[in-house]
Amino acid sequence: MSSSPTSRLLFDDPGPRARRRIRITTAGSLLIGAALVALALRQFAENGQLAAERWEPFGTWPMWRYLLDGLLSTAKAAAVAIALAMAGGVVLALGRTSPSRWLRWPATAYVEVVRTIPALLLVYVVLFALPRYGVNMPLFWKLVVPLAVSNAAAFAEIFRAGIRSVERGQLEAGLAVGLTRGRAMRLIVLPQAARRVLPSLVSQSAGLLKDTSLGYVVSYAELLYSGKVLANYNHLLIQTYLIVALIYLVVNATLSKIARTLEARQRTRPSRAVRAAAPGAPVVKTS
């Protein structure tokens, strides 16, 4: 069974027994999930929550426009947080792989400490602690900053795995032709590392997008907070939150599909390279 480069970077491929356990666990989880959904639908039906008149308001454009505005706010916050977190992740990854201990130790300490702190706690720090010291950010940044600080550590580990996967000879070749270590990393190593871990970057970005639901804590009008306001207005709590959950499901399923597509392309790239090198030679596939 072939595996993607990203999978080999971040964890070992499971063996036959582990794959069997994974299949059994997945099947069991699906059955339990289906049973819970069936039980929930039964309870909803018995309490009149599936009645057509309770769902009719969601067939109107104003309802969807309000929720889509919340989704747009979620996308804006996620995009800025992802950009900041990725930039911070690159800097931290370079620090962790630096030969200088004065760069390596602070970067390592940041990653190891921040990874243990829940993002919600960082949101509370920005919301309640910083204003006491005169730092009172707009609502948008009260959500974006803690998410970027938290996820920078995760992105740093992804980028570090990518940097470690690039053959050391490439960095040494760059140094041999007169490049500084910084330029060699920026021009030679980092582009290859980012390409190899791209599926993991997309997956982490999907997780960050879900974390924007913490915006309800700071009253930022993202999708979940918009759903809360809408439910208070139309008194359709279950219906509203089910619609919000459906929107999250569609968005995250799309991002997951993109990650799987990128991973599949990386898996087939070595075969294409073999064909380009020897057009007449057969390609041997691993099983």
Side-chain angles (χ1 to χ4, degrees):
M1 180 178 179
S2 61
S3 61
S4 68
T6 305
S7 298
R8 291 193 297 269
L9 286 176
L10 301 180
F11 53 85
D12 294 332
D13 292 333
R17 292 184 179 179
R19 289 197 296 269
R20 184 166 59 252
R21 287 196 298 267
I22 290 173
R23 287 194 293 267
I24 293 174
T25 303
T26 301
S29 300
L30 291 175
L31 289 175
I32 294 173
L36 291 175
V37 170
L39 180 61
L41 290 176
R42 180 182 176 182
Q43 292 296 321
F44 290 160
E46 290 178 353
N47 291 277
Q49 297 296 332
L50 298 182
E53 60 270 13
R54 301 189 68 85
W55 293 91
E56 286 179 359
F58 295 97
T60 61
W61 171 241
M63 287 281 192
W64 280 101
R65 182 176 60 186
Y66 185 77
L67 291 175
L68 290 176
D69 286 341
L71 179 60
L72 179 60
S73 297
T74 291
K76 289 179 180 178
V80 176
I82 289 170
L84 294 176
M86 280 193 179
V90 170
V91 173
L92 290 169
L94 292 176
R96 292 206 68 179
T97 56
S98 172
S100 172
R101 62 183 179 182
W102 301 109
L103 296 177
R104 188 172 63 254
W105 287 359
T108 301
Y110 179 96
V111 171
E112 295 300 329
V113 171
V114 172
R115 288 175 65 190
T116 64
I117 301 176
L120 179 59
L121 181 58
L122 295 177
V123 172
Y124 281 134
V125 169
V126 173
L127 182 61
F128 297 115
L130 293 186
R132 295 185 178 182
Y133 298 94
V135 181
N136 195 5
M137 305 177 185
L139 292 181
F140 178 82
W141 293 106
K142 285 182 179 179
L143 174 63
V144 168
V145 169
L147 291 183
V149 169
S150 177
N151 283 270
F155 279 115
E157 289 299 273
I158 295 174
F159 280 118
R160 185 168 74 100
I163 291 173
R164 293 296 189 191
S165 73
V166 178
E167 295 76 9
R168 183 172 178 80
Q170 300 201 33
L171 176 61
E172 295 173 349
L175 297 176
V177 298
L179 294 178
T180 63
R181 179 181 175 85
R183 286 179 60 85
M185 291 291 290
R186 179 169 59 87
L187 298 177
I188 300 174
V189 178
L190 275 179
Q192 298 181 68
R195 185 171 61 250
R196 294 185 181 189
V197 298
L198 188 56
S200 296
L201 295 177
V202 175
S203 298
Q204 182 63 32
S205 298
L208 192 155
L209 186 142
K210 289 185 289 186
D211 287 344
T212 58
S213 60
L214 296 175
Y216 79 91
V217 176
V218 299
S219 300
Y220 175 69
E222 43 77 44
L223 179 58
L224 185 59
Y225 183 82
S226 298
K228 175 184 175 183
V229 173
L230 185 60
N232 290 333
Y233 171 76
N234 59 21
H235 305 292
L236 299 174
L237 180 67
I238 293 176
Q239 291 77 10
T240 301
Y241 280 116
L242 284 177
I243 293 295
V244 169
L246 178 62
I247 295 174
Y248 273 116
L249 178 63
V250 171
V251 172
N252 285 284
T254 302
L255 292 175
S256 298
K257 175 63 176 177
I258 293 173
R260 289 194 299 271
T261 301
L262 292 172
E263 188 173 350
R265 288 183 178 179
Q266 286 190 346
R267 190 182 301 122
T268 59
R269 187 174 291 118
S271 298
R272 294 176 180 175
V274 171
R275 292 192 186 97
V283 178
V284 179
K285 297 183 179 180
T286 60
S287 57

